[in-house]
């Protein structure tokens, strides 16, 4: 599965979203009528290591990571409790191989914020990811509404 197909799925199936590129990744943000400067994160696709995010070894050829923020309750149901925030440049203290392909895992840096990820999802894995993308979208709309109050 190609990263652009995942981004296109989001743009085609989620209302009031925009695609933005920043910090070496492409992101889908909830931003109706472009009210906010960028919007509220829903999902990102990262294709290279960053200064503080190297544990997925994204600098390998044709490797990318899909990241999304879900509700804490969902994160706990899938992975157990959220970990403490890691030190700058470190990964969260969880027993996962953050470079493993095609497996839903906690985000190596932002798991403490209930972010999850998957490296190079297969078509089948992407089908299982779609309800989590929908949840991330709904969660972003809730955050947007609270910000606008």
């Amino acid at each position: 599965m190609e990263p652009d197909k995942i981004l296109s799925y989001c743009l085609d199936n989620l209302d009031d979203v925009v695609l933005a590129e920043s910090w070496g990744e492409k992101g889908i943000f909830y931003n109706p009528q472009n009210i906010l400067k960028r919007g509220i994160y829903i999902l990102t696709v990262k294709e290279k290591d960053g200064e503080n995010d190297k544990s997925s070894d994204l600098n390998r050829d044709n490797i990318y990571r899909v990241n999304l923020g879900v509700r804490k309750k969902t994160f706990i149901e899938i992975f157990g409790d959220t970990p403490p925030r890691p030190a700058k440049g470190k990964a969260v203290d969880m027993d996962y191989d953050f470079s493993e392909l095609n497996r839903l895992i906690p985000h190596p840096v932002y798991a403490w914020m209930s972010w999850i990820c998957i490296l190079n999802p297969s078509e089948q894995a992407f089908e299982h990811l779609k309800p989590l993308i929908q949840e991330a979208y709904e969660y972003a709309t809730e955050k947007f509404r609270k910000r606008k109050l």
Side-chain angles (χ1 to χ4, degrees):
M1 184 143 199
E2 295 298 318
D4 286 344
K5 186 172 180 184
I6 294 166
L7 297 168
S8 293
Y9 168 83
C10 294
L11 293 169
D12 293 344
N13 291 283
L14 305 174
D15 293 332
D16 297 317
V17 297
V18 295
L19 173 65
E21 293 187 43
S22 57
W23 302 294
E25 58 188 30
K26 296 175 184 175
I28 300 290
F29 295 83
Y30 180 72
N31 197 7
Q33 301 167 345
N34 292 309
I35 293 172
L36 301 175
K37 182 178 180 181
R38 180 168 285 132
I40 308 293
Y41 273 108
I42 297 168
L43 174 146
T44 65
V45 173
K46 187 171 178 113
E47 299 182 81
K48 65 180 182 177
D49 288 337
E51 182 177 327
N52 295 309
D53 183 2
K54 297 180 181 176
S55 55
S56 292
D57 195 17
L58 298 176
N59 287 343
R60 295 175 282 167
D61 287 341
N62 300 312
I63 301 298
Y64 68 96
R65 187 179 68 212
V66 178
N67 314 289
L68 58 149
V70 294
R71 291 181 180 90
K72 185 174 183 177
K73 177 182 184 235
T74 301
F75 185 95
I76 291 170
E77 286 172 0
I78 298 171
F79 301 112
D81 205 4
T82 54
R85 184 177 186 167
K88 184 177 180 179
K90 303 289 183 184
V92 292
D93 185 16
M94 298 183 82
D95 192 21
Y96 288 90
D97 175 358
F98 296 115
S99 65
E100 183 177 352
L101 304 181
N102 200 40
R103 179 181 180 205
L104 187 67
I105 56 175
H107 189 286
V109 177
Y110 298 117
W112 65 277
M113 294 177 13
S114 302
W115 275 69
I116 61 177
C117 65
I118 186 169
L119 280 70
N120 290 54
S122 65
E123 294 277 346
Q124 182 180 10
F126 183 65
E127 288 302 315
H128 292 292
L129 198 62
K130 286 180 179 179
L132 295 169
I133 292 171
Q134 183 64 35
E135 177 176 326
Y137 169 76
E138 291 168 4
Y139 193 31
T141 65
E142 291 167 17
K143 290 176 188 176
F144 181 86
R145 281 193 298 276
K146 287 179 184 175
R147 186 179 279 187
K148 294 306 297 169
L149 294 178

